[in-house]
Amino acid sequence: MKPRTLILRTAGTNCDLETAAAFESAGSTADRIHLNRILDNPAVLDDYQILAIAGGFSYGDDIAAGRILANQITHHLREPLRRFVEADKCVIGICNGFQVLAKTDLLPGGLAGQGGQTATLTHNDCGRFVCEWVPLRAVGSKCVWTAGLGDIELPIAHGEGKFLPQSDAVLQSLKDADQIALVYAGANPNGSAADVAGVCDSTGRVFGLMPHPERYVSALQHPAWTSRGDDGEGPGLAMFRNAVRYAQQAAGAGV
């Protein structure tokens, strides 16, 4: 039985098709559903085992990247999404989706004795949009999505990708709780604290990252694929497979 993935989209989302294709390649069905449908009927979430908030520029990143969508989630979908996570289901936020999750209380969650928003993604130190391929390292053992990955390479494309915890105590709590899941392994492209590229929540099932795994599910997507002579899978596909495998093993997965 195939797990079902809901790809959340709204005005400004532009990576939903690639994200859906990645999940389908990993063995899940994938439906791209507009936020308004979920706001009208939050029970739609009950039909899915995985939720993905795709990249792009939701609502034009007005006010701040991901802020408007985060506010909608916080004020209208807090309880449905809390139940979704408590039901042993997986959530991923990619790039703009990570910005959204960080501006809610879903990711990284309560830390250092604090609740609510404890971290954000803010303007790159270089002051400009950065679009390039970067080396990364999966660290820790808690995150479902990055299990077994090691050193990989993925593309980034963001202007507000600097991970900034609310305090040194929050950053230390992330380290102590094994919630830092992905770090930049070369030059830090945005100034993120502790080179953080992705974090998970305390369950390991809610994951946010600035790089785009959906843009490297095939080796042919890498700009140097011809010189490498590689026509196999890209390492981004492993993240989606990890979540699909988890959903298949969880109670109630499948259609």
Side-chain angles (χ1 to χ4, degrees):
M1 301 290 283
K2 289 187 176 183
R4 301 184 67 190
T5 299
L6 189 160
I7 314 293
L8 186 67
R9 65 183 183 88
T10 191
T13 301
N14 62 20
C15 296
D16 49 318
L17 284 169
E18 298 98 315
T19 304
F23 274 108
E24 289 169 352
S25 295
S28 172
T29 64
D31 297 324
R32 297 159 48 244
I33 298 180
H34 196 280
L35 173 68
N36 288 347
R37 282 190 57 195
I38 310 301
L39 294 176
D40 287 342
N41 181 20
V44 169
L45 288 166
D46 297 339
D47 296 331
Y48 295 87
Q49 290 75 49
I50 303 171
L51 170 67
I53 305 179
F57 305 90
S58 58
Y59 300 102
D61 283 345
D62 290 344
I63 306 176
R67 170 57 70 187
I68 294 176
L69 180 51
N71 283 354
Q72 290 180 300
I73 289 173
T74 297
H75 294 292
H76 302 291
L77 295 173
R78 180 194 300 270
E79 285 305 305
L81 285 179
R82 181 186 60 80
R83 291 193 297 271
F84 188 93
V85 175
E86 289 180 349
D88 203 21
K89 298 180 180 184
C90 295
V91 179
I92 190 170
I94 302 171
C95 196
N96 193 240
F98 185 17
Q99 294 162 340
V100 170
L101 289 176
K103 289 167 183 172
T104 69
D105 58 359
L106 288 171
L107 194 68
L111 291 167
Q114 304 173 57
Q117 184 181 345
T118 56
T120 193
L121 281 304
T122 190
H123 295 282
N124 300 341
D125 278 355
C126 64
R128 60 179 176 80
F129 186 87
V130 177
C131 182
E132 61 188 22
W133 287 74
V134 297
L136 300 155
R137 180 169 297 121
V139 295
S141 59
K142 177 168 288 186
C143 184
V144 167
W145 298 83
T146 58
L149 281 184
D151 290 341
I152 60 172
E153 187 180 13
L154 292 176
I156 58 170
H158 57 251
E160 297 179 45
K162 178 180 178 178
F163 180 78
L164 188 64
Q166 189 177 63
S167 65
D168 290 341
V170 167
L171 181 60
Q172 188 60 49
S173 289
L174 281 170
K175 294 177 180 178
D176 293 344
D178 196 23
Q179 288 181 235
I180 297 176
L182 196 66
V183 297
Y184 298 107
N188 187 324
N190 48 41
S192 286
D195 298 326
V196 170
V199 300
C200 65
D201 73 340
S202 61
T203 72
R205 290 180 282 103
V206 181
F207 177 47
L209 73 165
M210 288 310 300
H212 285 268
E214 80 282 8
R215 296 182 183 177
Y216 197 15
V217 297
S218 164
L220 302 180
Q221 291 174 296
H222 194 282
W225 74 271
T226 51
S227 60
R228 293 181 176 186
D230 186 1
D231 61 358
E233 296 178 355
L237 184 58
M239 290 190 186
F240 300 100
R241 280 203 171 130
N242 281 339
V244 170
R245 186 180 305 114
Y246 186 94
Q248 287 172 327
Q249 294 170 352
V255 295

